């Protein structure tokens, strides 16, 4: 089961050896980001996702959209595959349901992979991503490891509020000086294109072809997620690993409820009992 990935003490030494390799991989070493915008490309990608290692997790996800939620839309699903160091941008805006229902060679679909508890999937704050996937595509995520909760659990100080992804990358991601400068540059260019307060619009995620700066923006954060996973995993006791998995599942269930609200100050609060 996926829960064993974070909660098996006998495998800790092996995992530590593996995740040490994360720090030795420059972001520039990653192969070119691939846009997946045809059913043929989806089928090929799904075929690549089967039989991957689960320890450490192989699959790291993020989503972009216009008001990403049950009342908004999903534009792009970003996927970084750790063993191949390859990043894919799946064009949900163009493919719609076909993104998740198109089978690979043996009949498996992306929807099935997302719903399998035996395949660990790493998200940063899964709640609104899950809300959008469930509301628009009927996807019940399973096997989720929420990096935002891993960071919270790894702290040795007050666990009252969670941190955003940018803050976690700034504080914890083991980036070289060059990588950090590039990350800031790419992020600022992307924000100017989509953030209304910067003169941008979220509709930029639906432009085709995607602007080059948006492609870089979408790809870079998901490429850093494995390094954050490694940083936080090293610090977690077996008890906190179990709590993270349970709370990740609770977040998915909450996001599928009729009363879920993905905006507001409550989103920054730690799970009940954590602080």
């Amino acid at each position: 089961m996926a829960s064993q990935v974070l909660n098996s003490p006998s495998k800790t030494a092996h995992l530590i050896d593996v995740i040490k390799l994360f720090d030795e991989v420059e972001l520039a070493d990653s192969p070119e980001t691939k846009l997946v915008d045809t059913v043929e490309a989806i089928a090929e990608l799904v075929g690549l996702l089967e039989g991957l290692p689960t320890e450490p997790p192989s699959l790291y996800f993020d989503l972009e959209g216009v008001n990403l939620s049950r009342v908004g839309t999903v534009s792009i699903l970003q996927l970084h595959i750790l063993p191949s160091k390859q990043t894919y941008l799946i064009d949900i805006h163009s493919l719609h349901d076909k993104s998740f229902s198109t089978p690979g060679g043996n009949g498996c679909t992306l929807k099935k992979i997302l719903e399998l508890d035996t395949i660990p999937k790493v998200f940063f704050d899964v709640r609104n991503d899950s809300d959008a996937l469930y509301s628009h595509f009927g996807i019940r995520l399973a096997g989720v490891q929420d990096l935002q909760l891993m960071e919270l659990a790894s702290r040795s100080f007050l666990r009252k509020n969670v941190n955003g992804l940018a803050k976690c990358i700034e504080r914890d991601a083991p980036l070289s000086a060059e990588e950090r400068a590039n990350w800031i540059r790419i992020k600022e260019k992307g924000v100017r294109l989509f953030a209304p307060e910067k003169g941008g619009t979220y509709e930029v995620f639906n432009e085709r072809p995607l602007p080059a700066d948006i492609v870089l923006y979408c790809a870079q954060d998901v490429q850093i997620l494995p390094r954050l996973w490694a940083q936080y995993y090293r610090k977690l006791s077996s008890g906190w690993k179990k709590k993270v998995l349970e709370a990740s599942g609770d977040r998915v269930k909450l996001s599928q409820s009729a009363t879920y609200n993905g905006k507001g100050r409550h989103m920054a609060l730690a799970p009940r009992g954590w602080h």
Side-chain angles (χ1 to χ4, degrees):
M1 298 296 288
S3 60
Q4 294 176 334
V5 177
L6 278 183
N7 201 37
S8 178
S10 64
K11 298 174 181 176
T12 297
H14 165 70
L15 288 178
I16 292 297
D17 288 340
V18 172
I19 61 183
K20 283 179 180 177
L21 298 176
F22 294 5
D23 299 340
E24 301 170 6
V25 178
E26 295 289 325
L27 292 183
D29 292 339
S30 298
E32 182 180 356
T33 299
K34 294 185 178 181
L35 180 64
V36 179
D37 58 359
T38 66
V39 292
E40 292 79 12
I42 282 286
E44 180 181 354
L45 173 59
V46 170
L48 297 175
L49 301 183
E50 298 178 76
L52 291 174
T54 59
E55 304 173 15
S58 291
L59 306 180
Y60 298 77
F61 289 91
D62 193 13
L63 279 84
E64 302 292 348
V66 181
N67 189 19
L68 185 68
S69 64
R70 64 187 62 188
V71 297
T73 60
V74 181
S75 303
I76 302 164
L77 186 152
Q78 301 104 285
L79 167 62
H80 184 71
I81 304 177
L82 180 61
S84 64
K85 296 182 290 184
Q86 180 68 66
T87 302
Y88 296 85
L89 305 186
I90 303 174
D91 189 352
I92 309 297
H93 177 69
S94 298
L95 294 173
H96 303 289
D97 290 356
K98 293 178 182 177
S99 306
F100 304 104
S101 62
T102 300
N106 69 353
C108 191
T109 64
L110 183 56
K111 181 177 187 291
K112 182 176 181 180
I113 289 170
L114 288 167
E115 294 184 333
L116 278 174
D117 185 55
T118 52
I119 299 178
K121 292 159 283 282
V122 179
F123 287 77
F124 189 96
D125 191 358
V126 72
R127 291 171 290 184
N128 285 346
D129 291 355
S130 175
D131 177 28
L133 290 173
Y134 176 70
S135 301
H136 297 296
F137 303 103
I139 294 171
R140 297 178 179 271
L141 287 175
V144 170
Q145 297 180 19
D146 193 320
L147 265 177
Q148 188 179 54
L149 294 175
M150 287 181 70
E151 186 280 326
L152 187 68
S154 72
R155 293 182 199 170
S156 57
F157 53 93
L158 189 64
R159 298 186 179 95
K160 183 178 180 180
N161 295 308
V162 297
N163 286 332
L165 178 57
K167 190 171 186 178
C168 289
I169 292 175
E170 290 169 1
R171 286 186 172 185
D172 303 324
L175 302 177
S176 67
E178 181 180 0
E179 286 176 328
R180 192 169 297 277
N182 285 336
W183 173 73
I184 293 171
R185 175 180 55 81
I186 290 169
K187 195 164 195 69
E188 289 178 346
K189 283 186 176 182
V191 169
R192 285 198 295 268
L193 288 174
F194 70 75
E197 65 273 17
K198 300 286 187 179
T201 172
Y202 284 100
E203 293 291 342
V204 72
F205 291 114
N206 292 335
E207 290 184 13
R208 298 296 180 270
L210 277 170
D213 287 336
I214 289 295
V215 170
L216 290 172
Y217 174 85
C218 290
Q220 76 162 359
D221 282 356
V222 78
Q223 291 172 349
I224 297 174
L225 296 186
R227 299 196 191 189
L228 289 177
W229 186 95
Q231 286 290 94
Y232 302 143
Y233 178 87
R234 292 182 177 108
K235 300 177 182 179
L236 295 181
S237 67
S238 58
W240 276 110
K241 291 171 187 176
K242 183 177 180 180
K243 285 186 177 183
V244 165
L245 290 169
E246 291 174 348
S248 297
D250 289 343
R251 279 186 160 189
V252 170
K253 291 177 184 177
L254 174 65
S255 73
Q256 298 169 356
S257 67
T259 58
Y260 175 70
N261 176 14
K263 294 183 178 180
R265 296 175 65 181
H266 64 282
M267 295 291 285
L269 297 178
R272 183 171 298 179
W274 276 38
H275 62 280

